[in-house]
Structures are given as structure tokens and as C-alpha cells.
């Protein structure tokens, strides 16, 4: 890969090989624009859109990524290739001093927004280690996985309106719970608030018409790119409400995503074999191409007025069900997907306790205590705690990062009288 004329510090998340997309504005220009990250700067794609082929220019002038997502994978490759060329030393952009001055913007001077208008949001349950851990806690080791779990990607439809960009505070929810030993439900602030370490991908391409499934080996054409996610969870509310239809208010309080969307093409050097599946899945889910990635994930917890502490290290490769299988199952009924739809992995946990992707697991349903620096402890999140999720791939000196996914817990509203 050639060298960028924009400086890229060592160990940066955003080298020329990455170029994650985001939507930003500045103090002197409140209009939302599309950009890519390069080192500690961004390239304003609207400002340089005239340097791209005509058929993609309009999508680069939009205020969200939806229009670009709605093009096909060949158009995404055209945009990515041209962006890399423009950012290379000696390029047309490098020689245009005036255009460089307005199109290359320090990240310290921008405000980042949700990257897309999210029409629909689906959350899967794709980590076998997480599903097994939760099953053991609530049903015992002999019935840890439900009978359907190894046969289909379990999921549910989430609430798109409460998906927020990194940095947005999350209010502790109010709700109904049924505490142990109680005779009837009570109403009040959630006491068992948790994070969930997840990744998500945005749907792109032309989508599919209502009634037309997407074949599993064609589904890659519909994966625009990946982002970090924290799907906040109110465990005590969920325990009381989830039977028989699954989580509802316990999950709609907020879902945080990183502002950066790493294109699938940037992850190709980190492809792995898919997670082994036993028993063999039904034909519509049999995937013949690899679509698993070696993405290192970590979670840090920062109590108020304290330094952050690393509490979990996991990896995307632990997912049993791939994004392509998720798309194939989601659409097998003929459900139509649209550009900008968000699909989440579910909590990503590894095999060892230090790789668990939630406090529910790290503290094993509140029976263990998480020790933090300075003598602080946690079993679940407290007010003003900040959760920071990071992710990156690294191989042969190449690092592709996802930035950060950050959210702070605010106190609940007063209980209505």
C-alpha cells in the first residue's frame, strides 16, 4: 500500500488500508457530511465528490450513508479505490493546496453523528459461549442451550429509534421487576444495569423485494461494513418481562454504536474459517465461503472520577453464526431488508472468564465481584459509570481499528408518584 500524505501515527486505528466511514459536522458548518478517517484527520467526501465518477457523486454529497449503502458492492469498491488514490502522496488532491485545506479536517474539530438513518434493527444471539453461560445460570448445565439454538440464528427485532452514537449518555431505566422473595411486582429504577459487548453490520446493496429470500452465499453483497456496539440491558426488568415473547423494555432503553463503519473490504486480510457447526445446518444456511474475522475486542469500565480499567478481552471469531447466515435466515421468510438496516451479533463472549462480554457473566449473575483499581467493586453498573468498547484487527504490521464505543450511565428519573 502506498503512503498517505496525511500523517498516520504508529498504531493508529485509521491507516490508508482502513478508511472507515462516518458522518460529521463542524462548528462553522453544521451540515452533516460523509467522511472517512485517515490518521487523526478525516477526509470530507462531499468537498471532494467532484473527483469521483459521476455515478457515485450524489451519494457522497448526502447527509447520511444510506444512499452510498444503497449502491452495489462494485460501486463501494470504486469509492474505496478512488479514496485511497486521492489520499496517496503525490495524488491530484495532494497537489491541490486549496482543496486540501477545506477537505482534510482534524478529528479534534469535528462532531460525529449516527452514520445512517436506521430503518430497522435486529439483534441476534450468535455467541455459543454467551448463550451457554446464560443457559447454565438460568436453566442448569443439562439444558443450557435451547433445542433450536444450533439449528438457526436466534434473534429479535430491536428498537431503531433508541440506537445512539458513541458519547451519548444512557439514562438508567425505570420499570417493573419481581425481586426474589417478593409477592408481587414492584416499580422503580433498574438495579441490575449491564452492558453487552457486541458488533453490528449495516445492510447495503439493493436489498431484496418482499417475498424474495437472499441466498446465504450471496449475502456478502449486502454487508456494507461493521461497527462496535453496546446493547445496554436491564437484567432485572428483563427477567420479569421476557416470558413468553422475549426482551422488550429491558432492551429499548438505548443501544450505543461507534460512529465509524469499517468497510468489509478492509477486513479481508483478517478472514478466518467459520466457526465449526454441529450438527450440520439445513441447506439454506450452509455457507460455502468464509465470513469470520479475527477482530480483537475489549471492554473497559470507568467509574466516576477514576481511571478506566480493562475488564474483558474477547474476539469476533467466537461467533457461532455468521453475518451471512443471519441475513439468509432473516430473509428466508421473504422479509425485505433495506440499506441502513442494522444487524447486531448479540453478546460476544469467549471460552474463558476474562473474555466474557457482559457483567452478567463476569460476575456470574451477581454471585462474584468484579475488582477495580482503588478498591472499587462492581456486580452491575452504577450511576456515572462509563463503558468503553474498543476493537481492532492486527496482522503482519497492519492494524485496522474501529475507534471507540462509549456511553455513560445517568441516574434514573424520579419515580412517578
Amino acid at each position: 500500500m502506498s503512503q498517505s500524505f496525511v500523517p498516520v501515527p504508529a498504531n493508529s486505528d485509521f491507516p490508508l488500508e482502513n478508511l472507515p466511514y462516518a458522518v460529521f459536522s463542524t462548528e462553522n458548518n453544521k451540515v452533516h457530511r460523509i467522511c472517512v478517517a485517515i490518521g487523526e484527520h478525516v477526509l470530507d467526501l462531499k468537498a471532494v465528490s467532484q473527483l469521483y465518477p459521476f455515478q457515485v457523486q450524489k451519494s457522497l454529497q448526502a447527509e447520511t450513508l444510506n444512499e452510498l449503502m444503497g449502491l452495489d458492492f462494485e460501486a463501494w469498491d470504486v469509492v474505496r479505490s478512488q479514496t485511497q488514490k486521492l489520499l496517496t502522496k503525490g495524488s491530484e488532491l495532494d497537489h491541490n493546496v486549496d482543496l486540501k485545506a477545506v477537505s482534510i479536517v482534524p478529528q479534534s474539530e469535528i462532531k460525529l453523528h449516527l452514520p445512517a438513518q436506521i430503518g430497522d434493527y435486529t439483534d441476534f444471539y450468535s455467541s455459543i459461549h454467551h448463550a451457554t453461560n446464560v443457559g447454565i445460570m438460568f436453566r442448569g448445565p443439562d439444558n443450557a442451550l435451547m433445542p433450536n439454538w444450533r439449528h438457526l440464528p436466534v434473534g429479535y427485532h430491536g428498537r431503531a429509534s433508541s440506537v445512539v452514537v458513541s458519547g451519548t449518555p444512557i439514562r438508567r431505566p425505570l420499570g417493573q421487576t419481581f425481586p426474589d422473595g417478593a409477592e408481587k411486582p414492584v416499580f422503580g429504577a433498574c438495579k441490575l444495569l449491564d452492558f453487552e459487548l457486541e458488533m453490528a453490520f449495516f445492510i447495503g446493496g439493493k436489498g431484496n423485494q418482499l417475498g424474495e429470500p437472499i441466498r446465504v452465499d450471496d449475502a456478502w453483497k449486502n454487508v456494507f461494513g461493521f461497527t462496535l456496539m453496546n446493547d445496554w440491558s436491564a437484567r432485572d426488568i428483563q427477567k420479569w418481562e421476557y416470558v413468553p415473547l422475549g426482551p422488550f423494555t429491558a432492551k429499548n432503553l438505548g443501544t450505543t454504536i461507534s460512529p465509524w463503519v469499517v468497510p468489509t473490504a478492509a477486513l479481508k486480510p483478517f478472514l478466518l474459517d467459520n466457526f465449526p457447526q454441529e450438527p450440520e445446518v439445513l441447506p439454506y444456511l450452509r455457507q460455502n465461503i468464509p465470513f469470520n474475522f479475527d477482530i480483537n475486542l475489549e471492554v473497559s469500565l470507568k467509574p466516576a472520577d477514576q481511571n478506566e480499567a480493562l475488564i474483558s478481552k474477547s474476539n469476533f471469531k467466537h461467533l457461532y453464526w455468521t453475518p451471512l447466515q443471519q441475513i439468509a435466515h432473516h430473509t428466508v421468510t421473504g422479509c425485505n431488508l433495506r440499506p441502513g438496516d442494522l444487524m447486531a451479533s448479540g453478546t460476544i463472549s469467549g471460552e474463558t472468564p476474562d473474555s466474557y462480554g457482559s457483567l452478567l457473566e463476569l460476575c456470574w449473575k451477581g454471585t462474584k465481584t468484579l475488582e477495580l483499581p482503588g478498591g472499587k467493586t462492581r456486580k452491575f453498573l452504577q450511576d456515572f459509570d462509563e463503558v468503553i468498547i474498543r476493537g481492532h484487527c492486527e496482522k503482519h504490521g497492519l492494524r485496522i481499528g474501529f475507534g471507540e464505543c462509549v456511553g455513560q450511565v445517568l441516574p434514573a428519573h424520579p419515580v412517578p408518584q
Side-chain angles (χ1 to χ4, degrees):
M1 174 63 68
S2 303
Q3 189 173 1
S4 169
F5 66 79
V6 180
V8 177
N11 296 318
S12 170
D13 273 357
F14 306 133
L16 192 57
E17 295 88 346
N18 190 352
L19 303 182
Y21 294 99
V23 170
F24 81 107
S25 62
T26 53
E27 186 63 33
N28 60 0
N29 186 350
K30 304 294 187 183
V31 175
H32 292 194
R33 290 101 78 197
I34 296 170
C35 67
V36 295
I38 178 72
E40 296 176 344
H41 294 74
V42 298
L43 172 64
D44 182 343
L45 294 182
K46 182 178 182 180
V48 297
S49 60
Q50 72 276 14
L51 302 181
Y52 288 78
F54 177 76
Q55 65 268 27
V56 301
Q57 289 182 11
K58 186 170 178 286
S59 68
L60 302 181
Q61 297 163 2
E63 295 188 9
T64 69
L65 283 166
N66 293 71
E67 191 164 344
L68 179 60
M69 290 173 174
L71 303 180
D72 58 30
F73 67 93
E74 293 170 328
W76 304 337
D77 288 345
V78 167
V79 172
R80 177 172 170 78
S81 176
Q82 178 65 359
T83 305
Q84 288 177 328
K85 288 178 183 177
L86 290 175
L87 287 168
T88 299
K89 276 187 176 180
S91 70
E92 178 182 5
L93 179 59
D94 191 16
H95 290 304
N96 190 329
V97 176
D98 292 337
L99 187 55
K100 265 200 305 189
V102 297
S103 63
I104 304 295
V105 186
Q107 290 181 28
S108 59
E109 297 178 8
I110 69 173
K111 180 178 181 181
L112 291 162
H113 308 279
L114 273 179
Q117 183 175 345
I118 300 167
D120 284 297
Y121 157 48
T122 301
D123 193 22
F124 287 94
Y125 192 48
S126 294
S127 166
I128 192 168
H129 304 304
H130 172 69
T132 299
N133 288 340
V134 174
I136 290 172
M137 285 181 218
F138 292 97
R139 294 186 297 274
D142 295 335
N143 193 29
L145 290 179
M146 299 299 283
N148 63 355
W149 200 91
R150 290 178 181 266
H151 294 275
L152 56 86
V154 174
Y156 72 95
H157 296 290
R159 182 71 185 176
S161 67
S162 54
V163 178
V164 296
V165 73
S166 176
T168 306
I170 296 296
R171 179 76 61 181
R172 182 179 296 274
L174 300 172
Q176 281 194 38
T177 61
F178 203 117
D180 292 339
E183 296 182 356
K184 60 182 181 179
V186 298
F187 181 80
C190 165
K191 295 181 179 178
L192 308 182
L193 186 61
D194 201 355
F195 69 85
E196 289 188 343
L197 168 62
E198 301 197 22
M199 291 199 70
F201 63 91
F202 279 97
I203 291 294
K206 302 300 181 182
N208 59 311
Q209 296 299 313
L210 182 66
E212 296 183 3
I214 296 174
R215 292 180 62 252
V216 66
D217 283 337
D218 290 334
W220 63 271
K221 300 174 185 176
N222 296 94
V223 182
F224 177 79
F226 290 82
T227 190
L228 301 173
M229 173 180 282
N230 179 357
D231 195 28
W232 305 85
S233 296
R235 301 296 185 188
D236 44 354
I237 295 173
Q238 183 173 347
K239 180 182 177 182
W240 171 233
E241 76 173 3
Y242 86 101
V243 178
L245 295 182
F248 179 33
T249 63
K251 305 288 279 187
N252 69 10
L253 63 136
T255 300
T256 305
I257 63 172
S258 165
W260 305 108
V261 183
V262 174
T264 307
L267 300 177
K268 286 182 179 179
F270 309 98
L271 267 173
L272 299 172
D273 290 336
N274 301 324
F275 197 103
Q277 295 182 333
E278 179 63 35
E280 185 177 34
V281 297
L282 292 172
Y284 79 99
L285 290 172
R286 289 177 195 162
Q287 183 176 324
N288 297 306
I289 59 175
F291 206 81
N292 191 18
F293 302 98
D294 185 10
I295 305 173
N296 301 296
L297 301 168
E298 63 181 46
V299 184
S300 292
L301 180 60
K302 184 182 182 303
D305 302 321
Q306 297 284 325
N307 293 328
E308 66 177 72
L310 180 65
I311 61 173
S312 177
K313 296 177 72 173
S314 190
N315 196 295
F316 184 90
K317 68 184 180 183
H318 296 308
L319 293 175
Y320 188 91
W321 296 102
T322 74
L324 307 193
Q325 291 175 315
Q326 292 166 1
I327 290 173
H329 185 64
H330 202 304
T331 65
V332 73
T333 57
C335 175
N336 53 319
L337 303 182
R338 297 173 294 188
D341 285 354
L342 190 64
M343 305 282 188
S345 61
T347 305
I348 304 174
S349 295
E351 295 180 85
T352 58
D354 61 348
S355 65
Y356 292 166
S358 65
L359 285 173
L360 179 68
E361 295 165 273
L362 289 166
C363 298
W364 206 255
K365 200 182 172 185
T367 62
K368 300 178 182 179
T369 299
L370 183 68
E371 303 288 341
L372 298 173
K376 290 185 177 291
T377 61
R378 289 290 184 275
K379 292 186 176 181
F380 290 95
L381 295 173
Q382 295 186 10
D383 289 347
F384 304 109
D385 281 352
E386 190 172 67
V387 178
I388 305 112
I389 294 175
R390 299 183 178 95
H392 75 276
C393 310
E394 196 157 9
K395 182 179 181 182
H396 303 317
L398 173 62
R399 179 187 173 99
I400 300 294
F402 292 78
E404 294 183 341
C405 176
V406 181
Q408 185 180 44
V409 179
L410 298 183
H413 287 297
V415 175
Q417 300 299 317

